[in-house]
């Protein structure tokens, strides 16, 4: 019920369409009462031997034609406007879900599959359409029909109307039991559906690996497992549905049986006219229709509520990284970075960083080194505030990161990552991604500085070449150079390079290294590198070992010291 109320509250802007639809439904329901009444009148005329049957039936027929025409118009208004409101609301909900996903911290994503999250936007948000355009209007149609037809039944014959009501409590009870059982089943079904979409998305993204490792059979089995799971979940829900639907039909028939027995008796003892019995039976069909429909309506409602519930659960998720209400926007930092007694872990009991103390002066280039998995990338994630430290502080220009707006922190940092993500667009669009208002001259200058201009101009459409999903049409080195150009263009006081030159050949690496050395001048640069040859000129080398800073100094100082760094250099023949 809470979910339904929330849908109603959130969709206020579109209620006018619902009201228009409901108005049309009310008119259509009233119009539907005419046909049984006309049949009753016609039967009365026939049984009474009226001399003017022909002209009277012509008149009734023409009125009925008009009534049907009006009903068609009302149904169009109801169908179109309720869907209009529904799809506007669904679009709003989809955007809200997407926006929420954009603002959740990276920890939220660590145990989710992309396809699973897509299911929130694609499938679950659509549940609101079912509620808005089907469940709510149908509830009104059926409710109004029950009231109006019930009134007609009691007007025709009170004892017979009471007999026909015998099955109503049974039908309501069956519906109640059904909804109790079916709601969790439809909820489970939506979850399994998301799992299936997650696995599918995962496999489609990794198709190259599947083929290269000849894993088609095992992946087919993995897909089979989730597809079967989805099939079983839906069948479990359908089993309940298909049991209840005939049961409700049966209960409705019990009422009709009573009406036939008692109706026949009442007519035989003169308590009821034949015409009244005909009219009564026709109205009764209209009466049981909505009661039976309640069960399928229940099914739709349960599915829709389960989907909406999942959407609202996501919308209510709190981001782990929260911006303070009075967070200040910092325009251009000088670039001093301080880590103060910093502790961090992804999972409790598995510390990744312990009591890290580090001061980086504006304009300095520092290198983070250490064996794989020691926490170098984690530090860059913390500087971007993708995560918050478990203890300790990060300060930019002596201000705690938490007191700044997330937008302004990230406006001061450029990243060049080891796994560059490019969007499906043109080369140009990808370079200006972080600075949409850059001029063409600035963009080309950045591309030149990143040693990307010559390969870009050699592409079939130059800067306007479409690079395909995730830059599929570019080589690793070309992608990396676009990512460097992107960072150069942003011209931020802080630059983070995580294995920035890893995908380049030695010659290109040397050229890009020169470009990087040039752009790192005058800005604070944090370099994460495995190839120690690339960082020997850094102002400060920070050696991480066992979650702590093991050594700190320049290349020469650390070599002289003969510790962890010296050993790493020895291993790389430096
Ligand atoms: N999202 C995550 N959830 C859980 N654990 C994580 C996550 N990201 C990293 N880790 C773990 O945290 C530790 C530090 O990872 P990090 O990526 O910072 O290391 P790194 O030094 O940058 O490694 P590499 O040099 O291989 O890139 C590793 O043990 C890693 O498995």
């Amino acid at each position: 019920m809470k979910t339904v109320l929330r849908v109603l509250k959130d969709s206020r802007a579109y209620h006018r369409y619902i009201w228009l639809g409901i108005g049309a439904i009310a008119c259509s329901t009233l119009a539907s009462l005419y046909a049984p009444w006309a049949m009753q009148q016609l039967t009365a005329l026939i049984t009474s031997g009226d001399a003017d049957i022909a002209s009277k039936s012509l008149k009734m027929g023409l009125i009925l034609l008009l009534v049907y025409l009006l009903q068609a118009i009302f149904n169009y208004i109801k169908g179109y406007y309720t869907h209009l409101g529904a799809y506007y609301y669904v679009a709003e909900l989809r955007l809200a879900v997407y926006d929420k996903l954009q603002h959740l911290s990276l920890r939220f994503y660590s145990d989710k599959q992309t396809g699973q999250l897509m299911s929130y936007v694609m499938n679950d948000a659509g549940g609101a359409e079912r509620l808005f355009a089907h469940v709510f209007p149908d509830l009104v149609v059926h409710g109004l029909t029950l009231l109006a037809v019930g009134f007609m039944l009691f007007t025709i014959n009170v004892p017979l109307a009471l007999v026909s009501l015998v099955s109503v409590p049974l039908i309501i009870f069956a519906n109640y039991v059904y909804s109790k059982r079916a709601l969790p089943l439809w909820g489970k079904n939506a979850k399994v559906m998301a799992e299936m979409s997650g696995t599918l998305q995962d496999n489609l993204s990794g198709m190259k690996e599947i083929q290269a490792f000849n894993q088609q059979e095992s992946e087919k089995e993995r897909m089979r497992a989730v597809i079967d799971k989805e099939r079983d979940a839906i069948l479990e829900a359908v089993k309940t549905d298909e049991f209840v639907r005939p049961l409700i039909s049966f209960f409705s028939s019990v009422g009709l049986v009573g009406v036939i027995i008692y109706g026949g008796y009442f007519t035989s003892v003169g308590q009821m006219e034949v015409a009244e019995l005909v009219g009564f039976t026709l109205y009764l069909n209209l009466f049981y229709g909505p009661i039976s429909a309640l069960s399928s309506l229940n099914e739709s409602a349960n599915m829709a509520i389960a989907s909406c519930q999942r959407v609202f659960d996501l919308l209510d998720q709190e981001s782990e990284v929260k911006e303070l209400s009075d967070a200040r926007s910092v325009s251009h930092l000088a670039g001093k970075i301080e880590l103060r007694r910093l502790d961090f872990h992804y999972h409790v009991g598995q510390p990744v960083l312990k009591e890290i103390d580090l001061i980086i002066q504006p304009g300095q280039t520092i290198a983070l080194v250490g064996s794989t998995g020691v926490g170098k990338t984690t530090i860059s994630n913390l500087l971007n505030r993708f995560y918050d430290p478990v203890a300790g502080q990060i300060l930019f220009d002596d201000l705690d990161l938490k007191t700044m707006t997330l937008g302004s922190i990230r406006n001061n940092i450029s990243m060049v990552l080891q796994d560059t993500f490019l969007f499906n667009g043109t080369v140009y669009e990808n370079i200006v991604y972080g600075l949409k208002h850059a001029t063409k001259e600035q963009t080309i200058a950045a591309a030149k500085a990143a040693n990307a201009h010559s390969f870009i101009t050699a592409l079939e459409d130059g800067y306007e070449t479409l690079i395909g999903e995730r830059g599929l049409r570019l080589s690793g080195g070309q992608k990396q150079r676009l990512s460097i150009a992107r960072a150069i263009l942003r011209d931020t006081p802080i630059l983070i390079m995580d294995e920035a030159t890893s995908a380049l050949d030695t010659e290109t690496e040397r050229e890009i290294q020169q470009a990087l050395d040039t752009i790192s001048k005058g800005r604070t640069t944090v370099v994460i590198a495995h190839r120690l040859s690339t960082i020997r000129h850094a102002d400060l080398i920070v050696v991480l070992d066992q979650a702590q800073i093991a050594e700190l100094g320049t290349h020469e100082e650390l070599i002289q010291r003969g510790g962890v760094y010296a050993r790493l250099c020895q291993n790389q023949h430096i």
Side-chain angles (χ1 to χ4, degrees), residues 434-483:
L435 194 77
K436 298 268 171 24
H437 57 269
T439 64
K440 193 152 189 184
E441 288 70 33
Q442 287 172 316
T443 312
I444 293 175
K448 282 184 176 160
N451 199 15
H453 182 70
S454 50
F455 95 76
I456 295 172
T457 45
L459 295 171
E460 70 263 27
D461 291 318
Y463 280 85
E464 295 310 313
T465 309
L466 285 168
I467 57 170
E469 199 176 26
R470 280 176 290 135
L472 220 59
R473 295 180 52 199
L474 298 179
S475 73
Q478 289 171 334
K479 282 197 263 183
Q480 199 108 19
R481 277 182 264 182
L482 285 194
S483 144

Side-chain angles (χ1 to χ4, degrees), residues 25-43 45 53-71 74 144-145 148-149 151-152 156 275 278-280 282-284 286:
I25 293 164
C27 296
S28 172
T29 308
L30 282 180
S32 71
L33 297 180
Y34 182 74
W37 183 85
M39 279 308 288
Q40 185 176 334
Q41 294 307 308
L42 188 62
T43 315
L45 290 176
I53 294 179
S55 69
K56 284 181 179 166
S57 60
L58 175 69
K59 199 171 137 200
M60 281 193 288
L62 289 176
I63 294 175
L64 194 59
L65 186 67
L66 183 68
V67 164
Y68 283 146
L69 190 68
L70 284 174
Q71 261 189 303
F74 291 137
L144 275 179
T145 309
V149 175
F151 174 78
M152 295 305 289
I156 296 172
V278 169
F280 194 97
L282 289 174
Y283 277 121
L284 200 61
L286 282 187

Side-chain angles (χ1 to χ4, degrees), residues 110 346-347 352 371-378 387 418 499 530:
S110 62
Y346 292 101
H347 300 292
V352 174
S371 54
T372 181
V374 78
K376 304 182 291 292
T377 304
T378 302
Y387 297 90
Q418 49 184 319
E499 303 280 1
H530 279 294

Side-chain angles (χ1 to χ4, degrees), residues 192-203:
V192 177
M193 187 85 167
E195 198 183 320
M196 182 169 76
S197 132
T199 313
L200 183 63
Q201 203 274 341
D202 220 22
N203 284 20

Side-chain angles (χ1 to χ4, degrees), residues 106-107 109-111 344-347 350-353 368-381 387 418 498-499 528-530 544:
L106 287 193
R107 199 182 289 277
Y109 288 92
S110 62
D111 59 350
F344 184 76
H345 61 229
Y346 292 101
H347 300 292
Q350 295 170 12
V352 174
L353 298 170
L368 296 175
V369 301
S371 54
T372 181
V374 78
K376 304 182 291 292
T377 304
T378 302
I379 292 185
S380 93
N381 284 339
Y387 297 90
Q418 49 184 319
D498 193 344
E499 303 280 1
I528 298 170
H530 279 294
L544 294 169

